[in-house]
Amino acid sequence: MSENVYISPESKIEDGAVVYPNNSILGASVIRKGAVVYPNCIIEDCDIGEGAEVTASVLRGAVVGKNTTVGPFAYMRKGSKIGEGCRIGDFVEIKNAEVGDGTKVAHLTYVGDCEIGKNCNIGCGVVFVNYDGKTKHRTSVGDRCFIGSNCNLIAPLEIGSGSYIAAGTTVTESVPPDGLVVGRSRQTVKHGKAQGRY
């Protein structure tokens, strides 16, 4: 592994921050006190909050809140703003989105053109479907929402606070507060019909 660290002249590393080898801190980035940047990151024009941790990820034009963890293998694009105490996990892409305090986006998810409230859980494989082929649209998710794995949120859309979206659901209409949404087809089993097919 490379023992080099590249820090642009415009960047600022506050006292008590730790930047491990094989990192590039570019543009006018700020790494605040107590933050830890583990190896293999590219951080450009970002503000990394106090006590935050970033591991093996690419962040450009993003703000990461206090005590939030990012990565490994996350990609945060320009306009991403993450609150305090959040978890942005592996293979999560965030673009032009705000994520509220305490919200977790653990893995394999695309979060684009949206606002997500506080203390939400965004499951594995969720896609914020923001583009209809001509125009980008936004999605708003309230506080304390649970978005199950493999859901598609088709923007424009509003998900009310306290809502629960069952795994495998494609959401095409806005959801009122405390709404429960199940939008998957019913499973059908044909006994013995697969015999000899594989």
Side-chain angles (χ1 to χ4, degrees):
M1 181 174 70
S2 170
E3 295 299 322
N4 297 320
V5 176
Y6 299 92
I7 301 175
S8 69
E10 297 81 19
S11 290
K12 179 180 179 182
I13 313 295
E14 293 187 349
D15 291 344
V18 178
V19 178
Y20 278 79
N22 202 33
N23 281 309
S24 296
I25 312 298
L26 309 173
S29 294
V30 179
I31 313 298
R32 301 197 179 274
K33 63 182 181 181
V36 180
V37 181
Y38 290 103
N40 305 317
C41 293
I42 299 173
I43 296 174
E44 182 177 8
D45 293 320
C46 293
D47 188 326
I48 308 301
E50 295 181 15
E53 297 183 1
V54 183
T55 304
S57 296
V58 176
L59 287 70
R60 301 186 190 276
V63 176
V64 175
K66 184 177 179 180
N67 298 322
T68 284
T69 61
V70 177
F73 314 120
Y75 179 29
M76 294 176 57
R77 295 160 60 185
K78 185 176 181 180
S80 300
K81 184 176 180 181
I82 312 302
E84 298 183 3
C86 294
R87 169 81 175 102
I88 307 300
D90 53 289
F91 304 104
V92 172
E93 180 175 355
I94 298 183
K95 172 248 177 187
N96 192 27
E98 296 186 17
V99 177
D101 297 346
T103 287
K104 295 175 175 60
V105 188
H107 34 231
L108 297 164
T109 293
Y110 173 68
V111 178
D113 296 307
C114 67
E115 297 85 35
I116 301 174
K118 298 179 180 179
N119 300 310
C120 293
N121 187 89
I122 310 299
C124 178
V126 172
V127 178
F128 284 72
V129 184
N130 57 335
Y131 185 52
D132 63 7
K134 292 183 179 179
T135 307
K136 297 289 180 71
H137 300 282
R138 295 192 69 82
T139 294
S140 174
V141 178
D143 298 333
R144 306 176 316 281
C145 289
F146 182 95
I147 312 296
S149 295
N150 294 315
C151 287
N152 297 302
L153 307 180
I154 312 294
L157 200 61
E158 291 188 15
I159 308 293
S161 292
S163 294
Y164 189 109
I165 312 299
T169 296
T170 294
V171 183
T172 59
E173 299 178 3
S174 292
V175 179
D178 299 312
L180 170 62
V181 181
V182 182
R184 54 173 99 112
S185 61
R186 185 178 299 277
Q187 178 175 309
T188 302
V189 179
K190 304 292 186 181
H191 294 281
K193 295 297 183 182
Q195 187 174 6
R197 291 181 183 268
Y198 181 75

